[in-house]
Amino acid sequence: MKHEYGTKEYYAEMFADFIADIQHDSPQVSDNLLAGFKLAINDWREYHVKQILELDRVEFKLDEQS
């Protein structure tokens, strides 16, 4: 059953897919799951920082032209 995007039920379904990957006989999978989550956070942070820097650059150029 698919739930509406953004609801707690939607996210529970998404997290259930990750939890299903946890295996007692393969602890490296669990470690990779956690490391992958941290990597995703860092990647998104880097993307947003770059976006902010570009917005600052564009704003500066607009101010120069005023």
Side-chain angles (χ1 to χ4, degrees):
M1 178 178 195
K2 298 293 179 189
H3 298 283
E4 184 177 343
Y5 177 78
T7 63
K8 64 183 175 184
E9 292 82 8
Y10 172 85
Y11 289 111
E13 191 173 309
M14 299 293 287
F15 288 128
D17 286 342
F18 291 120
I19 293 168
D21 287 345
I22 296 171
Q23 301 295 323
H24 71 88
D25 58 349
S26 300
Q28 71 277 8
V29 173
S30 300
D31 295 345
N32 287 339
L33 183 115
L34 296 172
F37 186 64
K38 289 177 71 172
L39 181 60
I41 289 172
N42 288 330
D43 287 348
W44 273 101
R45 180 181 294 115
E46 184 177 322
Y47 167 80
H48 287 293
V49 166
K50 288 178 180 178
Q51 287 299 102
I52 290 168
L53 292 172
E54 178 60 11
L55 286 169
D56 288 347
R57 187 191 71 81
V58 169
E59 182 181 34
F60 180 77
K61 288 184 82 71
L62 282 171
D63 289 344
E64 282 184 333
Q65 295 177 7
S66 297

